[in-house]
Amino acid sequence: MVAALAAFPQALPFLKGSVRAAGTGLPQPDFSDLPSLRVLAEKAGIFFGAAVQLRFLQEEMDFARAVQKECSMIVPEGSLKWSVLQPQENRWNFQPADSLLSFAEGNALKMRGHTLLWHNAFPAWAEEGLREGRGEALLEAHISKVVGHYKGRLTSWDVVNEAINPKDDHPLGLRDTPWLRALGPDYVAKAFRLAAQADPNARLVYNEFILEGEEDKRAAILALVRRLQDANVPIHGVGVQSHLWAPKRQRVDKIRAFCREITRMGLDYYVTELDVGEKDYGDDFEKRDLLVAERAREYLDAVLTECKPKEILTWGLSTRHSWMADPRYFKSNAEGKPIRGLPLDGAMKRTRLWHVLYQALSGLAPAEAKA
Ligand code: G3I
C-alpha cells in the first residue's frame, strides 16, 4: 500500500512513488490508446465522473491518477451525507467533503452534491429529533448550513434521495421514511425550497433508483415532480441512479418514454450512479464483461436517444472500490469476488463498460469535435 499522501495531488505530476500493486489484473481487451472519458465528455459539452471516497484518493496514487485522467467531475460517495456532515447535532464535519472539493478544484474537476435528505446514512440523534417534532428546524439548519457552505462551488445537488416506493402503499407512492412520518408529504418541497434559498443558483435534483419493470415508480416520480412544479418549487432535474442489473434485459421503450417526459417538463436528466450489478461471479470474464457492456449500452443508447444529460456519473470508477462488493448493500453478494460493472477494473485497466461509455460520449460530441 502506498504511503498516504500528505496533501492531495493538486497537480498530478506532484505524485511520486510507486503505484499501488495492481488489482486483479484479470483479462481485459486493450483500450489503453484511446482518449479518456474526460476528453470525450469535454468534447460533448457534458461532465463525466464518478463517486469517490476520500481515503482512496489519499492512499492510492494509481486511483487518484485515474480519476484525474478519466473524470471531469466527482461526487462524494458518503462525505456529504448527514451521518458524516453532522454526526451529532451541531457538531459539523466538513473536512472530508472540503478535501474532496480541494482535490476537484486542484485538478480542474467539478463536484456535485449527494445528498441533502435521505432516510439512510441518517444519524440516530436526527431521527430522534424528527420523532420529537423538531424535523422542520433540523432540516432548515442542515440544508442552509450545508448548501451555504458550498454555495456556488458545486454543479448540482441531489436534494432528496429515494423518496418514492409504491410498495409502501402511500397514496402518492411515497416511501415510508422518518421524514414522511414527521413532516408529511410536503417535506420534499420544503427541502427543495430550503436549498434554493441557501443557493439560488444551485441546480436542484430529485434522485431515485428505478429497477427494471418498476413502471409504477416511474409514474410516481413524474407525479411528484409535477406536484413540485405546480407548487412553483425550484427543481431543475431528475437524477436516475442507473444501477443496472446484468441478468435482465431492459424495456428501452419505457426508459425512452421516461426521458422524453422529463425533457418535456423542462427538466434535465442526470445519470447519477451508473454501474452494472451481477448475480454470476464466475471466472468467464469475457462472457460477464460482454453482458455488463450490453446492459450499459442498451441503457445509454435509450437515454441518449431522447436527451443529453448534463452529468453522467458512475458509482465508483474502479471495481477495486464498489458498494457492489458489500453484502450489507448488495443482495447478490460479490463479497471477495472480482466484480466487473465499473469503467476500470481493480488494476485501473479500462473495461468493456469503459468502452461503452467511450462510444456513448463520442456519439454526443458534435461532428466537428470528433476529429
Ligand atoms: O467510514 C466508516 C468507517 O470508519 C467504519 O469503520 C465503517 C464500519 O462499517 O463504516 C464506514 O462508513 C461506511 C461508508 O459507506 C463508507 O465506506 C458506512 O458504514 C456504510 O454504510 C456506507 O455505505 C454507503 C451507503 O450508500 C450508505 O451511505 C456506500 O458506501 C455507498 O456506496 C452507498 O451509496 C448509495 C447512494 O448514496 C444512494 N444510491 C444507492 C447507493 C448504493 O447503496
Side-chain angles (χ1 to χ4, degrees):
M1 178 70 82
V2 294
L5 284 178
F8 282 108
Q10 301 307 337
L12 279 172
F14 167 87
L15 286 176
K16 297 286 182 284
S18 63
V19 167
R20 173 190 156 129
T24 58
L26 293 169
Q28 287 291 2
D30 183 6
F31 301 118
S32 57
D33 61 347
L34 293 173
S36 70
L37 299 179
R38 175 176 191 162
V39 166
L40 269 296
E42 284 162 359
K43 283 185 174 183
I46 72 167
F47 292 108
F48 169 77
V52 296
Q53 292 190 38
L54 176 64
R55 58 194 165 120
F56 299 134
L57 283 178
Q58 287 175 315
E59 296 166 6
E60 301 172 14
M61 295 181 195
D62 59 340
F63 175 63
R65 276 200 190 96
V67 171
Q68 201 273 348
K69 178 176 181 177
E70 298 288 357
C71 298
S72 52
M73 81 177 316
I74 58 172
V75 59
E77 187 164 1
S79 305
L80 286 174
K81 294 173 180 172
W82 273 62
S83 53
V84 176
L85 283 174
Q86 207 182 167
Q88 269 93 43
E89 187 165 6
N90 287 323
R91 195 166 73 75
W92 297 92
N93 177 21
F94 286 105
Q95 184 275 328
D98 286 354
S99 295
L100 284 171
L101 187 52
S102 84
F103 172 86
E105 293 176 341
N107 288 283
L109 279 77
K110 295 292 186 185
M111 188 161 103
R112 74 181 308 265
H114 171 85
T115 175
L116 294 171
L117 188 159
W118 191 24
H119 53 281
N120 282 344
F122 189 52
W125 72 264
E127 202 159 332
E128 179 61 27
L130 292 186
R131 283 194 294 271
E132 292 165 350
R134 299 193 299 121
E136 285 213 41
L138 292 176
L139 186 61
E140 177 166 2
H142 188 83
I143 291 184
S144 52
K145 177 95 170 176
V146 174
V147 176
H149 184 86
Y150 294 108
K151 185 171 182 177
R153 299 174 68 191
L154 305 186
T155 59
S156 60
W157 268 107
D158 287 339
V159 176
V160 173
N161 188 48
E162 302 178 12
I164 298 281
N165 183 14
K167 296 182 180 66
D168 285 350
D169 294 327
H170 185 276
L172 299 175
L174 295 175
R175 182 182 294 274
D176 179 21
T177 71
W179 288 106
L180 179 65
R181 293 193 291 274
L183 300 182
D186 207 34
Y187 81 89
V188 178
K190 281 182 178 43
F192 275 86
R193 287 196 173 103
L194 288 167
Q197 282 161 19
D199 184 353
N201 298 318
R203 306 291 294 171
L204 306 179
V205 176
Y206 172 72
N207 194 48
E208 186 59 78
F209 68 90
I210 305 172
L211 304 181
E212 185 47 37
E214 289 188 321
E215 296 324 312
D216 53 350
K217 193 165 192 180
R218 283 198 177 94
I221 293 166
L222 293 173
L224 167 67
V225 172
R226 281 191 201 97
R227 289 197 302 276
L228 294 173
Q229 290 185 320
D230 291 347
N232 295 317
V233 171
I235 176 170
H236 306 98
V238 173
V240 179
Q241 293 179 11
S242 312
H243 295 295
L244 309 182
W245 183 232
K248 192 160 187 182
R249 287 200 69 80
Q250 300 158 89
R251 286 290 306 272
V252 292
D253 57 329
K254 304 287 186 186
I255 295 168
R256 291 184 58 173
F258 188 66
C259 293
R260 277 198 303 274
E261 187 56 24
I262 285 171
T263 304
R264 193 191 60 74
M265 295 166 80
L267 297 170
D268 289 320
Y269 186 107
Y270 288 73
V271 177
T272 52
E273 305 180 15
L274 178 65
D275 54 23
V276 184
E278 301 173 84
K279 203 163 57 174
D280 158 28
Y281 296 98
D283 294 342
D284 184 345
F285 294 108
E286 179 75 6
K287 173 177 155 245
R288 289 174 56 192
D289 290 352
L290 289 168
L291 187 59
V292 161
E294 183 46 34
R295 283 298 161 268
R297 187 190 334 280
E298 72 188 10
Y299 176 70
L300 290 172
D301 283 354
V303 171
L304 303 185
T305 300
E306 300 296 345
C307 65
K308 182 176 181 181
K310 287 190 183 325
E311 300 173 7
I312 296 178
L313 298 101
T314 53
W315 202 246
L317 183 63
S318 160
T319 57
R320 188 188 291 172
H321 328 113
S322 170
W323 72 292
M324 294 189 288
D326 184 337
R328 290 177 299 174
Y329 296 101
F330 204 71
K331 300 291 173 284
S332 69
N333 190 356
E335 195 173 7
K337 304 184 188 87
I339 55 178
R340 309 292 283 182
L342 283 172
L344 303 181
D345 72 7
M348 300 302 140
K349 280 184 69 178
R350 293 166 169 177
T351 64
R352 287 188 186 280
L353 175 54
W354 179 95
H355 195 239
V356 169
L357 284 160
Y358 176 86
Q359 291 173 317
L361 293 170
S362 300
L364 286 176
E368 64 279 6
K370 287 191 200 307

